[in-house]
Amino acid sequence: MTRSAKAGRLFGDHFLSRLAAEEQAIVANVRRLAKEVLGPNAAAVAQQDVFAWETFRLLAKEGVIGTAFPRESGGTDARQVLRIRIVEELGRVCSASASIVTGADLSCRAIVAGASDELKTELLPGLCRGEIQAAFALSEPGAGSDVRGLATVIRREGDRYLIDGEKKFITRGTTADWFVVVGRAEHDPDCFIAVLVPRNASGFMIGPEVGKLGWAGVPISSLEFRNVATPVANRLGQEGDGFNLAQDALVRARIGHAAMALGRAIGAVEIATAYMADRKLFGKSLGEHQGAQWMLAEMVTRIEASRALVQLAAEKYDGADPDAGIFASMAKLQATDLGMKVVTDALQLTGGRGYLQDFPLERFFRDAKLNQIGEGSSEVHKTVIGRDAVRRARDLERHPCLKFESLVDY
Ligand SMILES: Cc1cc2nc3c(=O)[nH]c(=O)nc-3n(C[C@H](O)[C@H](O)[C@H](O)COP(=O)(O)OP(=O)(O)OC[C@H]3O[C@@H](n4cnc5c(N)ncnc54)[C@H](O)[C@@H]3O)c2cc1C
């Protein structure tokens, strides 16, 4: 039997059987695309950081982008438990592919959740089919982790809004037709507003694509708004809903980042174990050395534990659990930090071979870093999770081994 004819995978499909038959069919199709097209093309896509149009069009044609959209717009309104399986499959071979799918959700979610019926009818079918694109413009020069520090001002004048400000790091800046822009109301700095701005709006300037470490195939650029007018009808939700609409998109995106990081980690372990089987040193294969086995044991065990946490976060989101946001933060923190470590260790296990550009781990290594930074860095999520634990601990029942009086005085 040749190697390519062997069946089965190192990481099991435990969560797949929990999906409905039609959901499993979507995953099977994504798996086919990853095997036949996206995996083999991934290195070429990553060679220069221009938008991966062919990948985008393929994922749109195959209905994968449509999983982020409601049925009435032509989508499949996929549950997060399905989306994480899709993104894991894509992340296993190609970060650009995975990012195109999570990015569709990030950039369109506020439109799905907050646009008027007229706007939805006008835009969602085209976005779903990949005929047009949206971008999500939240980050600014002075507001990344500290997202409430947004300085973009949105001023109402009759039946239009006027926007002044700058946005930074915006994925699809050079390719999007519509931009979801979040800013503060001029009349009330605590009031966040989200509006849709068309690419050709007067006074709207899109900067050149900016070179970056990884995630080639999904370029970023800066945006500048100088008295840019957009109709009030382009507002998403009500005035004051801007932050919550952005947060909803971000929670989904965080679960997506976690799934992408785990997919890449799974791919890295598969590649490292193939090398370990082939590489002979000190009289036996690398895989027969206990030190290498221990590294592998850490990787596979922690990946499986993280997959369970990501699954839990997705289930909580699908069930509208009030803790979904915290679990999304935990899933992202755990999976993306682990993803970086696994890719680093997998590259270590493949020695000099892994360091070369014609070997996929070099690309995986560069791509892994962004998952720890985008949609809230690991440190931001630690802050969010720790603060929440301290807040909840105040209201919990006393541990049975403790007395009721103060633990400080004795
Ligand atoms: C490739 C790429 C694509 C992106 N796409 C988009 C997009 O489409 N739309 C969009 O709006 N934004 C986008 N972003 C922006 C991204 O979300 C921000 O980069 C991210 O939120 C971090 O913000 P910052 O870069 O300003 O880092 P900063 O806010 O400057 O933080 C720097 C570092 O400080 C540390 N830190 C932060 N807060 C704390 C804390 N409380 N305690 C301890 N340490 C802390 C963390 O290590 C953090 O990485 C993208 C960024 C990149 C690089």
Side-chain angles (χ1 to χ4, degrees), residues 22-23 26-27 30 59-60 62-71 74-80 82-84 86-87 90 100-102 104-105 109 112 127-129 252:
E22 63 270 23
E23 292 175 314
I26 293 174
V27 179
V30 171
L59 291 169
E62 295 286 338
V64 187
I65 285 177
T67 57
F69 291 87
R71 287 179 196 276
T76 40
D77 211 1
R79 302 185 294 158
Q80 286 296 307
L82 169 58
R83 298 268 302 166
I84 57 174
I86 293 171
V87 173
L90 296 174
I100 281 171
V101 170
T102 57
D105 210 9
R109 178 65 191 168
V112 171
L127 288 165
C128 177
R129 289 194 295 265
R252 294 167 68 99

Side-chain angles (χ1 to χ4, degrees), residues 136 138-139 144-145 169-171 220 370 373 375 377 379-380 383:
F136 176 73
L138 181 68
S139 302
S145 304
F169 301 125
I170 306 307
T171 306
I220 61 170
L370 185 62
I373 295 172
E375 330 310 8
S377 66
E379 292 73 21
V380 164
T383 305

Side-chain angles (χ1 to χ4, degrees), residues 114-344:
S116 66
D117 288 344
E118 292 75 32
L119 262 185
K120 282 186 194 172
T121 307
E122 183 192 337
L123 299 182
L124 290 184
L127 288 165
C128 177
R129 289 194 295 265
E131 291 159 3
I132 53 172
Q133 267 189 8
F136 176 73
L138 181 68
S139 302
E140 297 183 0
S145 304
D146 182 9
V147 71
R148 283 187 182 271
L150 293 182
T152 294
V153 172
I154 301 184
R155 173 165 51 98
R156 183 154 181 175
E157 191 184 82
D159 60 358
R160 60 184 195 159
Y161 287 112
L162 294 168
I163 308 163
D164 275 287
E166 285 174 54
K167 298 287 178 184
K168 196 164 91 162
F169 301 125
I170 306 307
T171 306
R172 304 177 181 204
T174 51
T175 55
D177 303 279
W178 289 89
F179 293 76
V180 174
V181 180
V182 185
R184 298 172 179 280
E186 188 187 50
H187 67 274
D188 176 4
D190 292 329
C191 173
F192 291 92
I193 304 176
V195 286
L196 266 175
V197 176
R199 170 180 200 82
N200 59 4
S202 170
F204 178 25
M205 285 157 284
I206 300 168
E209 290 170 356
V210 184
K212 51 187 166 55
L213 178 68
W215 282 43
V218 276
I220 61 170
S221 42
S222 297
L223 313 177
E224 205 177 320
F225 300 84
R226 292 287 163 253
N227 218 26
V228 174
T230 197
V232 166
N234 282 0
R235 190 185 62 224
L236 303 173
Q238 300 302 315
E239 288 192 3
D241 287 348
F243 200 74
N244 288 343
L245 285 168
Q247 279 303 319
D248 179 40
L250 287 169
V251 166
R252 294 167 68 99
R254 285 165 187 155
I255 297 172
H257 263 274
M260 187 192 310
L262 286 184
R264 191 185 302 109
I266 285 169
V269 172
E270 290 175 320
I271 291 164
T273 50
Y275 181 85
M276 286 164 74
D278 284 0
R279 182 61 166 162
K280 301 283 182 294
L281 65 188
F282 305 108
K284 52 188 177 184
S285 76
L286 177 57
E288 288 172 285
H289 287 269
Q290 190 185 50
Q293 288 174 359
W294 283 17
M295 283 174 75
L296 195 56
E298 293 269 356
M299 293 195 258
V300 295
T301 306
R302 289 181 186 175
I303 287 173
E304 289 295 14
S306 301
R307 282 176 112 192
L309 180 58
V310 176
Q311 172 77 18
L312 185 58
E315 285 172 7
K316 284 188 179 287
Y317 184 90
D318 290 335
D321 187 308
D323 283 340
I326 285 294
F327 274 79
S329 286
M330 287 197 259
K332 182 176 186 288
L333 170 67
Q334 168 62 26
T336 63
D337 281 0
L338 179 76
M340 190 73 237
K341 176 160 175 42
V342 167
V343 170
T344 306

